[in-house]
Amino acid sequence: MRVTGHLLAYLSLSPIFVVVGFLTLIIFKRELHTISFLGGLALNQGVNWLIKHVIQEPRPCGGPHTAVGTKYGMPSSHSQFMWFFSVYSFLFLYLRMHQTNNARFLDLLWRHVLSLGLLTAAFLVSYSRVYLLYHTWSQVFYGGVAGSLMAVAWFIITQEILTPLFPRIAAWPISEFFLIRDTSLIPNVLWFEYTVTRAEARNRQRKLGTKLQ
């Protein structure tokens, strides 16, 4: 039981790892959709804070739990965060990233595996909050519902409102200065970057070979 508690405690730190991962992606990729995704997560947490202070339902027990973030527990911010992240990623994988190469089976397989992993992580983080007595089942349930609904809403806003604006934003002088780019018209960014990098490497290798002759 003690080992389980430690594992779930570490697992409940997943939101921190997700934020660090996003900041790393933004620093190295500087892609507008990634920035929008992180903005949606921030908005989701703001909505969670607002709902908590409107409902003002306490956590299931006192003690050190009241000193973590806020004394209110409805809805669970961890649950809402992870379900937003998982549901938005699920929608992105199946509706935004389209097949562009011939490995159809492998492409679908990794999407299914990754989606299942994300949803499992969201469930385990939610469960950890109940196991560690930070929240009740109803608090993590409604946190998951709120996060999922926010994810769907933000995905629609991003696709229908923000994405058409991305080319203009990427053309701003400040965006060019910070190398901020828009890849919304590229169906599969991973495959695109792989093919472009491979082609450029082969081109440079041929040039190097010509110079050495």
mmCIF file of all heavy atoms in Angstrom, residues 140-183:
data_model
loop_
_atom_site.group_PDB
_atom_site.id
_atom_site.type_symbol
_atom_site.label_atom_id
_atom_site.label_comp_id
_atom_site.label_asym_id
_atom_site.label_seq_id
_atom_site.Cartn_x
_atom_site.Cartn_y
_atom_site.Cartn_z
ATOM 1 N N VAL A 140 -13.432 14.689 -8.414
ATOM 2 C CA VAL A 140 -12.601 14.327 -9.567
ATOM 3 C C VAL A 140 -13.472 14.035 -10.788
ATOM 4 O O VAL A 140 -13.058 14.285 -11.931
ATOM 5 C CB VAL A 140 -11.677 13.128 -9.260
ATOM 6 C CG1 VAL A 140 -10.718 13.446 -8.128
ATOM 7 C CG2 VAL A 140 -12.472 11.868 -8.944
ATOM 8 N N PHE A 141 -14.677 13.506 -10.554
ATOM 9 C CA PHE A 141 -15.576 13.235 -11.680
ATOM 10 C C PHE A 141 -15.966 14.531 -12.381
ATOM 11 O O PHE A 141 -15.862 14.648 -13.612
ATOM 12 C CB PHE A 141 -16.830 12.498 -11.199
ATOM 13 C CG PHE A 141 -17.884 12.340 -12.261
ATOM 14 C CD1 PHE A 141 -17.753 11.365 -13.246
ATOM 15 C CD2 PHE A 141 -18.995 13.180 -12.295
ATOM 16 C CE1 PHE A 141 -18.719 11.233 -14.243
ATOM 17 C CE2 PHE A 141 -19.961 13.042 -13.282
ATOM 18 C CZ PHE A 141 -19.813 12.066 -14.257
ATOM 19 N N TYR A 142 -16.429 15.497 -11.615
ATOM 20 C CA TYR A 142 -16.842 16.765 -12.226
ATOM 21 C C TYR A 142 -15.642 17.542 -12.755
ATOM 22 O O TYR A 142 -15.777 18.320 -13.712
ATOM 23 C CB TYR A 142 -17.649 17.594 -11.231
ATOM 24 C CG TYR A 142 -19.038 17.049 -11.006
ATOM 25 C CD1 TYR A 142 -19.396 16.471 -9.791
ATOM 26 C CD2 TYR A 142 -19.980 17.091 -12.027
ATOM 27 C CE1 TYR A 142 -20.670 15.945 -9.589
ATOM 28 C CE2 TYR A 142 -21.258 16.576 -11.838
ATOM 29 C CZ TYR A 142 -21.597 16.002 -10.616
ATOM 30 O OH TYR A 142 -22.849 15.479 -10.448
ATOM 31 N N GLY A 143 -14.483 17.340 -12.153
ATOM 32 C CA GLY A 143 -13.278 17.925 -12.716
ATOM 33 C C GLY A 143 -12.982 17.347 -14.083
ATOM 34 O O GLY A 143 -12.629 18.067 -15.022
ATOM 35 N N GLY A 144 -13.151 16.032 -14.210
ATOM 36 C CA GLY A 144 -12.946 15.382 -15.505
ATOM 37 C C GLY A 144 -13.958 15.840 -16.539
ATOM 38 O O GLY A 144 -13.613 16.066 -17.707
ATOM 39 N N VAL A 145 -15.218 15.989 -16.123
ATOM 40 C CA VAL A 145 -16.257 16.453 -17.045
ATOM 41 C C VAL A 145 -15.963 17.878 -17.506
ATOM 42 O O VAL A 145 -16.042 18.198 -18.703
ATOM 43 C CB VAL A 145 -17.649 16.390 -16.373
ATOM 44 C CG1 VAL A 145 -18.695 17.081 -17.239
ATOM 45 C CG2 VAL A 145 -18.046 14.939 -16.122
ATOM 46 N N ALA A 146 -15.596 18.744 -16.558
ATOM 47 C CA ALA A 146 -15.299 20.139 -16.896
ATOM 48 C C ALA A 146 -14.097 20.223 -17.833
ATOM 49 O O ALA A 146 -14.111 20.974 -18.819
ATOM 50 C CB ALA A 146 -15.038 20.941 -15.617
ATOM 51 N N GLY A 147 -13.054 19.446 -17.532
ATOM 52 C CA GLY A 147 -11.867 19.462 -18.381
ATOM 53 C C GLY A 147 -12.152 18.956 -19.781
ATOM 54 O O GLY A 147 -11.653 19.516 -20.769
ATOM 55 N N SER A 148 -12.964 17.905 -19.884
ATOM 56 C CA SER A 148 -13.307 17.347 -21.195
ATOM 57 C C SER A 148 -14.121 18.334 -22.022
ATOM 58 O O SER A 148 -13.868 18.527 -23.220
ATOM 59 C CB SER A 148 -14.089 16.044 -21.012
ATOM 60 O OG SER A 148 -13.321 15.077 -20.320
ATOM 61 N N LEU A 149 -15.104 18.971 -21.391
ATOM 62 C CA LEU A 149 -15.926 19.955 -22.105
ATOM 63 C C LEU A 149 -15.096 21.160 -22.532
ATOM 64 O O LEU A 149 -15.252 21.674 -23.652
ATOM 65 C CB LEU A 149 -17.089 20.405 -21.220
ATOM 66 C CG LEU A 149 -18.155 19.341 -20.903
ATOM 67 C CD1 LEU A 149 -19.196 19.896 -19.944
ATOM 68 C CD2 LEU A 149 -18.820 18.846 -22.192
ATOM 69 N N MET A 150 -14.196 21.593 -21.653
ATOM 70 C CA MET A 150 -13.311 22.709 -21.997
ATOM 71 C C MET A 150 -12.400 22.332 -23.159
ATOM 72 O O MET A 150 -12.124 23.158 -24.038
ATOM 73 C CB MET A 150 -12.470 23.100 -20.784
ATOM 74 C CG MET A 150 -13.216 23.890 -19.723
ATOM 75 S SD MET A 150 -13.543 25.602 -20.221
ATOM 76 C CE MET A 150 -11.877 26.242 -20.371
ATOM 77 N N ALA A 151 -11.937 21.089 -23.182
ATOM 78 C CA ALA A 151 -11.060 20.634 -24.262
ATOM 79 C C ALA A 151 -11.774 20.660 -25.599
ATOM 80 O O ALA A 151 -11.218 21.118 -26.603
ATOM 81 C CB ALA A 151 -10.544 19.224 -23.956
ATOM 82 N N VAL A 152 -13.005 20.152 -25.624
ATOM 83 C CA VAL A 152 -13.788 20.148 -26.867
ATOM 84 C C VAL A 152 -14.041 21.579 -27.335
ATOM 85 O O VAL A 152 -13.877 21.902 -28.517
ATOM 86 C CB VAL A 152 -15.120 19.404 -26.667
ATOM 87 C CG1 VAL A 152 -16.005 19.535 -27.902
ATOM 88 C CG2 VAL A 152 -14.859 17.922 -26.363
ATOM 89 N N ALA A 153 -14.428 22.449 -26.388
ATOM 90 C CA ALA A 153 -14.713 23.835 -26.742
ATOM 91 C C ALA A 153 -13.465 24.545 -27.258
ATOM 92 O O ALA A 153 -13.514 25.255 -28.273
ATOM 93 C CB ALA A 153 -15.277 24.576 -25.530
ATOM 94 N N TRP A 154 -12.336 24.337 -26.589
ATOM 95 C CA TRP A 154 -11.102 25.015 -27.008
ATOM 96 C C TRP A 154 -10.590 24.463 -28.338
ATOM 97 O O TRP A 154 -10.030 25.213 -29.143
ATOM 98 C CB TRP A 154 -10.036 24.896 -25.933
ATOM 99 C CG TRP A 154 -8.827 25.740 -26.215
ATOM 100 C CD1 TRP A 154 -7.576 25.318 -26.565
ATOM 101 C CD2 TRP A 154 -8.765 27.174 -26.192
ATOM 102 N NE1 TRP A 154 -6.739 26.382 -26.754
ATOM 103 C CE2 TRP A 154 -7.443 27.545 -26.534
ATOM 104 C CE3 TRP A 154 -9.699 28.179 -25.908
ATOM 105 C CZ2 TRP A 154 -7.032 28.873 -26.597
ATOM 106 C CZ3 TRP A 154 -9.291 29.504 -25.976
ATOM 107 C CH2 TRP A 154 -7.985 29.832 -26.323
ATOM 108 N N PHE A 155 -10.788 23.177 -28.573
ATOM 109 C CA PHE A 155 -10.377 22.600 -29.855
ATOM 110 C C PHE A 155 -11.178 23.230 -30.994
ATOM 111 O O PHE A 155 -10.619 23.565 -32.052
ATOM 112 C CB PHE A 155 -10.582 21.087 -29.838
ATOM 113 C CG PHE A 155 -10.089 20.401 -31.082
ATOM 114 C CD1 PHE A 155 -8.752 20.069 -31.225
ATOM 115 C CD2 PHE A 155 -10.965 20.093 -32.116
ATOM 116 C CE1 PHE A 155 -8.289 19.437 -32.376
ATOM 117 C CE2 PHE A 155 -10.515 19.470 -33.269
ATOM 118 C CZ PHE A 155 -9.170 19.146 -33.391
ATOM 119 N N ILE A 156 -12.481 23.398 -30.790
ATOM 120 C CA ILE A 156 -13.329 24.021 -31.813
ATOM 121 C C ILE A 156 -12.918 25.474 -32.036
ATOM 122 O O ILE A 156 -12.806 25.938 -33.180
ATOM 123 C CB ILE A 156 -14.812 23.932 -31.411
ATOM 124 C CG1 ILE A 156 -15.274 22.475 -31.389
ATOM 125 C CG2 ILE A 156 -15.683 24.746 -32.367
ATOM 126 C CD1 ILE A 156 -16.672 22.269 -30.859
ATOM 127 N N ILE A 157 -12.673 26.200 -30.951
ATOM 128 C CA ILE A 157 -12.243 27.595 -31.066
ATOM 129 C C ILE A 157 -10.920 27.692 -31.809
ATOM 130 O O ILE A 157 -10.738 28.551 -32.687
ATOM 131 C CB ILE A 157 -12.120 28.237 -29.668
ATOM 132 C CG1 ILE A 157 -13.504 28.389 -29.043
ATOM 133 C CG2 ILE A 157 -11.411 29.589 -29.746
ATOM 134 C CD1 ILE A 157 -13.476 28.848 -27.596
ATOM 135 N N THR A 158 -10.005 26.808 -31.478
ATOM 136 C CA THR A 158 -8.686 26.825 -32.129
ATOM 137 C C THR A 158 -8.801 26.528 -33.612
ATOM 138 O O THR A 158 -8.194 27.212 -34.448
ATOM 139 C CB THR A 158 -7.749 25.798 -31.466
ATOM 140 O OG1 THR A 158 -7.588 26.127 -30.079
ATOM 141 C CG2 THR A 158 -6.380 25.801 -32.142
ATOM 142 N N GLN A 159 -9.601 25.508 -33.955
ATOM 143 C CA GLN A 159 -9.720 25.107 -35.357
ATOM 144 C C GLN A 159 -10.518 26.107 -36.195
ATOM 145 O O GLN A 159 -10.156 26.395 -37.340
ATOM 146 C CB GLN A 159 -10.386 23.729 -35.447
ATOM 147 C CG GLN A 159 -9.551 22.589 -34.878
ATOM 148 C CD GLN A 159 -8.231 22.438 -35.599
ATOM 149 O OE1 GLN A 159 -7.170 22.653 -35.035
ATOM 150 N NE2 GLN A 159 -8.280 22.056 -36.863
ATOM 151 N N GLU A 160 -11.597 26.634 -35.620
ATOM 152 C CA GLU A 160 -12.507 27.475 -36.404
ATOM 153 C C GLU A 160 -12.177 28.965 -36.344
ATOM 154 O O GLU A 160 -12.464 29.699 -37.291
ATOM 155 C CB GLU A 160 -13.949 27.254 -35.922
ATOM 156 C CG GLU A 160 -14.436 25.824 -36.051
ATOM 157 C CD GLU A 160 -14.437 25.325 -37.488
ATOM 158 O OE1 GLU A 160 -14.687 26.148 -38.398
ATOM 159 O OE2 GLU A 160 -14.188 24.123 -37.701
ATOM 160 N N ILE A 161 -11.590 29.427 -35.249
ATOM 161 C CA ILE A 161 -11.344 30.860 -35.084
ATOM 162 C C ILE A 161 -9.860 31.213 -35.118
ATOM 163 O O ILE A 161 -9.445 32.122 -35.854
ATOM 164 C CB ILE A 161 -11.973 31.367 -33.762
ATOM 165 C CG1 ILE A 161 -13.491 31.118 -33.769
ATOM 166 C CG2 ILE A 161 -11.657 32.844 -33.554
ATOM 167 C CD1 ILE A 161 -14.174 31.503 -32.471
ATOM 168 N N LEU A 162 -9.051 30.497 -34.329
ATOM 169 C CA LEU A 162 -7.647 30.870 -34.200
ATOM 170 C C LEU A 162 -6.792 30.414 -35.383
ATOM 171 O O LEU A 162 -5.936 31.175 -35.857
ATOM 172 C CB LEU A 162 -7.076 30.299 -32.894
ATOM 173 C CG LEU A 162 -7.739 30.791 -31.609
ATOM 174 C CD1 LEU A 162 -7.060 30.180 -30.400
ATOM 175 C CD2 LEU A 162 -7.685 32.311 -31.525
ATOM 176 N N THR A 163 -7.011 29.177 -35.852
ATOM 177 C CA THR A 163 -6.175 28.648 -36.937
ATOM 178 C C THR A 163 -6.193 29.520 -38.190
ATOM 179 O O THR A 163 -5.131 29.740 -38.791
ATOM 180 C CB THR A 163 -6.605 27.205 -37.284
ATOM 181 O OG1 THR A 163 -6.411 26.376 -36.119
ATOM 182 C CG2 THR A 163 -5.765 26.650 -38.422
ATOM 183 N N PRO A 164 -7.349 30.053 -38.636
ATOM 184 C CA PRO A 164 -7.328 30.955 -39.798
ATOM 185 C C PRO A 164 -6.507 32.227 -39.565
ATOM 186 O O PRO A 164 -6.066 32.871 -40.527
ATOM 187 C CB PRO A 164 -8.808 31.295 -40.010
ATOM 188 C CG PRO A 164 -9.544 30.124 -39.429
ATOM 189 C CD PRO A 164 -8.738 29.736 -38.235
ATOM 190 N N LEU A 165 -6.299 32.593 -38.293
ATOM 191 C CA LEU A 165 -5.524 33.785 -37.975
ATOM 192 C C LEU A 165 -4.028 33.514 -37.861
ATOM 193 O O LEU A 165 -3.228 34.460 -37.875
ATOM 194 C CB LEU A 165 -6.024 34.402 -36.659
ATOM 195 C CG LEU A 165 -7.481 34.860 -36.617
ATOM 196 C CD1 LEU A 165 -7.828 35.354 -35.221
ATOM 197 C CD2 LEU A 165 -7.742 35.940 -37.649
ATOM 198 N N PHE A 166 -3.660 32.239 -37.732
ATOM 199 C CA PHE A 166 -2.255 31.894 -37.514
ATOM 200 C C PHE A 166 -1.323 32.402 -38.615
ATOM 201 O O PHE A 166 -0.231 32.891 -38.314
ATOM 202 C CB PHE A 166 -2.104 30.381 -37.350
ATOM 203 C CG PHE A 166 -2.550 29.873 -35.996
ATOM 204 C CD1 PHE A 166 -2.722 28.508 -35.771
ATOM 205 C CD2 PHE A 166 -2.793 30.749 -34.953
ATOM 206 C CE1 PHE A 166 -3.134 28.041 -34.528
ATOM 207 C CE2 PHE A 166 -3.203 30.287 -33.704
ATOM 208 C CZ PHE A 166 -3.375 28.939 -33.503
ATOM 209 N N PRO A 167 -1.686 32.298 -39.922
ATOM 210 C CA PRO A 167 -0.772 32.815 -40.956
ATOM 211 C C PRO A 167 -0.483 34.301 -40.798
ATOM 212 O O PRO A 167 0.664 34.742 -41.006
ATOM 213 C CB PRO A 167 -1.532 32.527 -42.257
ATOM 214 C CG PRO A 167 -2.411 31.362 -41.941
ATOM 215 C CD PRO A 167 -2.835 31.587 -40.526
ATOM 216 N N ARG A 168 -1.493 35.077 -40.418
ATOM 217 C CA ARG A 168 -1.278 36.515 -40.205
ATOM 218 C C ARG A 168 -0.371 36.756 -38.997
ATOM 219 O O ARG A 168 0.530 37.604 -39.042
ATOM 220 C CB ARG A 168 -2.614 37.226 -39.978
ATOM 221 C CG ARG A 168 -3.574 37.158 -41.160
ATOM 222 C CD ARG A 168 -4.844 37.922 -40.821
ATOM 223 N NE ARG A 168 -5.858 37.773 -41.871
ATOM 224 C CZ ARG A 168 -7.072 38.299 -41.808
ATOM 225 N NH1 ARG A 168 -7.427 39.010 -40.741
ATOM 226 N NH2 ARG A 168 -7.929 38.121 -42.783
ATOM 227 N N ILE A 169 -0.630 36.008 -37.922
ATOM 228 C CA ILE A 169 0.174 36.174 -36.708
ATOM 229 C C ILE A 169 1.632 35.798 -36.983
ATOM 230 O O ILE A 169 2.557 36.467 -36.518
ATOM 231 C CB ILE A 169 -0.397 35.320 -35.562
ATOM 232 C CG1 ILE A 169 -1.816 35.799 -35.210
ATOM 233 C CG2 ILE A 169 0.499 35.370 -34.334
ATOM 234 C CD1 ILE A 169 -2.522 34.939 -34.186
ATOM 235 N N ALA A 170 1.839 34.711 -37.750
ATOM 236 C CA ALA A 170 3.203 34.275 -38.059
ATOM 237 C C ALA A 170 3.939 35.292 -38.923
ATOM 238 O O ALA A 170 5.174 35.323 -38.933
ATOM 239 C CB ALA A 170 3.165 32.923 -38.766
ATOM 240 N N ALA A 171 3.187 36.121 -39.653
ATOM 241 C CA ALA A 171 3.803 37.123 -40.526
ATOM 242 C C ALA A 171 4.121 38.424 -39.797
ATOM 243 O O ALA A 171 4.751 39.307 -40.374
ATOM 244 C CB ALA A 171 2.891 37.416 -41.713
ATOM 245 N N TRP A 172 3.682 38.556 -38.557
ATOM 246 C CA TRP A 172 4.002 39.762 -37.805
ATOM 247 C C TRP A 172 5.518 39.879 -37.636
ATOM 248 O O TRP A 172 6.212 38.862 -37.460
ATOM 249 C CB TRP A 172 3.357 39.715 -36.421
ATOM 250 C CG TRP A 172 1.872 39.863 -36.427
ATOM 251 C CD1 TRP A 172 1.075 40.205 -37.479
ATOM 252 C CD2 TRP A 172 1.002 39.641 -35.309
ATOM 253 N NE1 TRP A 172 -0.242 40.220 -37.108
ATOM 254 C CE2 TRP A 172 -0.329 39.888 -35.779
ATOM 255 C CE3 TRP A 172 1.184 39.278 -33.983
ATOM 256 C CZ2 TRP A 172 -1.436 39.770 -34.954
ATOM 257 C CZ3 TRP A 172 0.096 39.168 -33.156
ATOM 258 C CH2 TRP A 172 -1.201 39.409 -33.631
ATOM 259 N N PRO A 173 6.067 41.099 -37.646
ATOM 260 C CA PRO A 173 7.516 41.285 -37.439
ATOM 261 C C PRO A 173 8.014 40.669 -36.133
ATOM 262 O O PRO A 173 9.093 40.059 -36.100
ATOM 263 C CB PRO A 173 7.669 42.809 -37.432
ATOM 264 C CG PRO A 173 6.539 43.294 -38.273
ATOM 265 C CD PRO A 173 5.396 42.363 -37.975
ATOM 266 N N ILE A 174 7.220 40.818 -35.066
ATOM 267 C CA ILE A 174 7.649 40.253 -33.785
ATOM 268 C C ILE A 174 7.681 38.726 -33.836
ATOM 269 O O ILE A 174 8.537 38.088 -33.207
ATOM 270 C CB ILE A 174 6.736 40.746 -32.633
ATOM 271 C CG1 ILE A 174 7.344 40.349 -31.289
ATOM 272 C CG2 ILE A 174 5.328 40.189 -32.784
ATOM 273 C CD1 ILE A 174 6.620 40.946 -30.099
ATOM 274 N N SER A 175 6.752 38.126 -34.598
ATOM 275 C CA SER A 175 6.745 36.668 -34.746
ATOM 276 C C SER A 175 7.966 36.204 -35.533
ATOM 277 O O SER A 175 8.590 35.187 -35.197
ATOM 278 C CB SER A 175 5.467 36.217 -35.454
ATOM 279 O OG SER A 175 4.320 36.558 -34.699
ATOM 280 N N GLU A 176 8.318 36.953 -36.583
ATOM 281 C CA GLU A 176 9.503 36.619 -37.368
ATOM 282 C C GLU A 176 10.771 36.795 -36.542
ATOM 283 O O GLU A 176 11.720 36.021 -36.674
ATOM 284 C CB GLU A 176 9.558 37.486 -38.623
ATOM 285 C CG GLU A 176 8.429 37.194 -39.603
ATOM 286 C CD GLU A 176 8.499 38.069 -40.834
ATOM 287 O OE1 GLU A 176 9.368 38.975 -40.874
ATOM 288 O OE2 GLU A 176 7.682 37.852 -41.759
ATOM 289 N N PHE A 177 10.780 37.801 -35.675
ATOM 290 C CA PHE A 177 11.953 38.028 -34.822
ATOM 291 C C PHE A 177 12.174 36.857 -33.880
ATOM 292 O O PHE A 177 13.310 36.414 -33.659
ATOM 293 C CB PHE A 177 11.778 39.329 -34.024
ATOM 294 C CG PHE A 177 12.905 39.617 -33.084
ATOM 295 C CD1 PHE A 177 14.099 40.160 -33.547
ATOM 296 C CD2 PHE A 177 12.782 39.336 -31.723
ATOM 297 C CE1 PHE A 177 15.146 40.429 -32.674
ATOM 298 C CE2 PHE A 177 13.828 39.599 -30.847
ATOM 299 C CZ PHE A 177 15.016 40.151 -31.332
ATOM 300 N N PHE A 178 11.075 36.328 -33.299
ATOM 301 C CA PHE A 178 11.178 35.210 -32.356
ATOM 302 C C PHE A 178 11.041 33.853 -33.048
ATOM 303 O O PHE A 178 10.952 32.821 -32.380
ATOM 304 C CB PHE A 178 10.121 35.332 -31.263
ATOM 305 C CG PHE A 178 10.400 36.412 -30.260
ATOM 306 C CD1 PHE A 178 9.686 37.599 -30.272
ATOM 307 C CD2 PHE A 178 11.396 36.250 -29.310
ATOM 308 C CE1 PHE A 178 9.945 38.605 -29.352
ATOM 309 C CE2 PHE A 178 11.663 37.240 -28.370
ATOM 310 C CZ PHE A 178 10.942 38.425 -28.398
ATOM 311 N N LEU A 179 11.030 33.856 -34.385
ATOM 312 C CA LEU A 179 10.963 32.623 -35.179
ATOM 313 C C LEU A 179 9.705 31.803 -34.881
ATOM 314 O O LEU A 179 9.731 30.570 -34.909
ATOM 315 C CB LEU A 179 12.216 31.757 -34.954
ATOM 316 C CG LEU A 179 13.558 32.431 -35.248
ATOM 317 C CD1 LEU A 179 14.702 31.471 -34.952
ATOM 318 C CD2 LEU A 179 13.623 32.919 -36.686
ATOM 319 N N ILE A 180 8.606 32.490 -34.605
ATOM 320 C CA ILE A 180 7.338 31.811 -34.356
ATOM 321 C C ILE A 180 6.723 31.416 -35.693
ATOM 322 O O ILE A 180 6.652 32.227 -36.614
ATOM 323 C CB ILE A 180 6.384 32.722 -33.567
ATOM 324 C CG1 ILE A 180 6.964 33.006 -32.183
ATOM 325 C CG2 ILE A 180 5.005 32.089 -33.437
ATOM 326 C CD1 ILE A 180 6.162 33.988 -31.367
ATOM 327 N N ARG A 181 6.286 30.182 -35.812
ATOM 328 C CA ARG A 181 5.818 29.673 -37.102
ATOM 329 C C ARG A 181 4.431 29.063 -37.010
ATOM 330 O O ARG A 181 3.935 28.749 -35.929
ATOM 331 C CB ARG A 181 6.800 28.631 -37.629
ATOM 332 C CG ARG A 181 7.041 27.486 -36.671
ATOM 333 C CD ARG A 181 8.018 26.479 -37.213
ATOM 334 N NE ARG A 181 8.300 25.442 -36.251
ATOM 335 C CZ ARG A 181 8.840 24.260 -36.571
ATOM 336 N NH1 ARG A 181 9.132 23.989 -37.821
ATOM 337 N NH2 ARG A 181 9.079 23.349 -35.652
ATOM 338 N N ASP A 182 3.844 28.885 -38.182
ATOM 339 C CA ASP A 182 2.513 28.283 -38.300
ATOM 340 C C ASP A 182 2.615 27.025 -39.159
ATOM 341 O O ASP A 182 3.024 27.081 -40.312
ATOM 342 C CB ASP A 182 1.543 29.272 -38.938
ATOM 343 C CG ASP A 182 0.227 28.619 -39.328
ATOM 344 O OD1 ASP A 182 -0.228 27.736 -38.574
ATOM 345 O OD2 ASP A 182 -0.336 28.993 -40.373
ATOM 346 N N THR A 183 2.249 25.883 -38.581
ATOM 347 C CA THR A 183 2.286 24.616 -39.317
ATOM 348 C C THR A 183 0.885 24.025 -39.470
ATOM 349 O O THR A 183 0.743 22.823 -39.678
ATOM 350 C CB THR A 183 3.203 23.593 -38.596
ATOM 351 O OG1 THR A 183 2.682 23.355 -37.280
ATOM 352 C CG2 THR A 183 4.624 24.110 -38.493
#
